[in-house]
Amino acid sequence: MLHWRSLLFVPATAEKFVARAHTRGADVIILDLEDSIPPDAKQAARAALPAAARLVGQAGVDVCVRINRALEMSIPDIAASVMPEVTVLMLPKLMGPEHVKLLSEVVAAREAALGLRIGHTRFIGVVETPQALPALAAIASADPRMAALGVGSEDLSTELEAVPGADALYVFGMMAVAAARGAGILPLGSIGAFADFSDLEAYRASLRRSRRLGFGCTACIHPAQVLIINEEYGPSPAEVERARRLIAAFEAALAEGQGAVAFEGAMIDLPVVERARRLLARARPIP
């Protein structure tokens, strides 16, 4: 499993933002061809992708492209996006597993035409309509390219005629977490409003709650949000050190023939140790 924390959106044609994106500390830069690009600028955005992908990927982050939903746009988007520098596509407004499989076939044909390894390009799936919510688990496991899955808080809230926030998104967010974890991929998102960056402390509190609920990574639209995501969705140094002590204590107990052991005021057994091991797997330096 990948261990992304933060994914930062950058319009593919926004040269000023593209030039600095690699300095923001995000694990993934998403070059956007969808909502942030007006209809008459789509072709210009596709043409800008090769240079933009090289720029944003120069610090070693994963480069993603968010394509458009409509087939007449997604096909040319894929043709422009699949390249050695781009390792992920974000698929918006997915309707079901067959939708994922169809796009995977298109991507595979493009990879073959370019001499890339089949499977080079991973998928982040986003469900944004009520009709697709029952298919979350099937979408999560629809194709080996699937790396992460989430629900689109703004679009889904619009379709539900709801206000984006914890009340409206909790149930559907947890459905996405369960579907993603069941498929062995990353749950993307949070239970907060995606587009609101006016109150960063409230944003941090929302992320902290979301991480405790099982979300693994989330996307953002403002660089000020990246560090907060990395801190809240990545383990802290204190958590890492405690996990190491916990695992060492358990392994010492196992060597003495014990299946459970007291550790810092609590009993630990295999499920607790597995959580500690997963936390260590997610540990990485915070920029």
Side-chain angles (χ1 to χ4, degrees):
M1 181 186 289
L2 297 167
H3 297 294
W4 297 329
R5 301 160 300 176
S6 53
L7 300 85
L8 175 63
F9 277 102
V10 179
T13 53
E15 295 180 5
K16 180 175 69 173
F17 299 134
V18 166
R20 299 187 61 189
H22 70 284
T23 69
R24 302 302 192 178
D27 299 328
V28 181
I29 300 297
I30 305 171
L31 295 171
D32 192 24
L33 298 180
E34 197 209 20
D35 286 349
S36 66
I37 305 296
D40 60 358
K42 299 291 187 185
Q43 187 51 45
R46 295 182 190 114
L49 282 177
R54 287 192 294 272
L55 272 176
V56 302
Q58 62 185 289
V61 303
D62 282 306
V63 180
C64 175
V65 176
R66 179 167 69 167
I67 65 174
N68 289 276
R69 163 65 179 89
L71 203 59
E72 66 268 20
M73 288 192 287
S74 63
I75 300 300
D77 285 351
I78 289 170
S81 302
V82 174
M83 64 182 80
E85 294 83 2
V86 173
T87 57
V88 192
L89 297 182
M90 177 173 275
L91 313 180
K93 301 175 178 65
L94 285 172
M95 296 308 297
E98 296 305 321
H99 188 181
V100 178
K101 293 173 184 177
L102 172 64
L103 295 178
S104 183
E105 286 186 22
V106 177
V107 170
R110 185 61 178 163
E111 287 171 339
L114 295 176
L116 294 174
R117 174 183 59 83
I118 304 301
H120 165 83
T121 313
R122 308 291 298 277
F123 287 165
I124 297 171
V126 186
V127 167
E128 302 178 77
T129 62
Q131 296 90 334
L133 289 171
L136 275 166
I139 289 170
S141 59
D143 191 275
R145 295 182 190 274
M146 290 294 293
L149 175 70
V151 295
S153 60
E154 298 293 328
D155 284 271
L156 181 59
S157 296
T158 298
E159 293 293 319
L160 295 171
E161 298 189 19
V163 176
D167 288 344
L169 297 170
Y170 174 80
V171 171
F172 310 118
M174 292 310 298
M175 288 170 62
V177 169
R181 294 296 183 191
I185 64 176
L186 273 174
L188 169 80
S190 73
I191 56 170
F194 170 75
D196 185 3
F197 54 85
S198 61
D199 185 342
L200 292 179
E201 284 309 307
Y203 182 70
R204 181 184 292 278
S206 173
L207 291 181
R208 186 169 297 158
R209 182 185 178 199
S210 300
R211 178 67 196 108
R212 290 173 178 169
L213 290 171
F215 289 91
C217 62
T218 195
C220 62
I221 58 174
H222 196 284
Q225 297 171 307
V226 171
L227 179 61
I228 299 172
I229 296 171
N230 288 348
E231 289 176 345
E232 296 301 330
Y233 275 30
S236 69
E239 289 174 320
V240 169
E241 181 55 36
R242 184 180 186 278
R244 288 177 176 150
R245 294 197 310 271
L246 186 152
I247 292 168
F250 185 75
E251 290 178 347
L254 280 183
E256 296 176 2
Q258 302 175 47
V261 63
F263 174 76
E264 298 182 2
M267 293 300 296
I268 59 173
D269 54 11
L270 276 174
V272 178
V273 175
E274 178 59 24
R275 285 197 295 272
R277 288 175 176 151
R278 293 186 183 191
L279 183 145
L280 289 183
R282 292 190 292 110
R284 57 197 296 174
I286 295 176

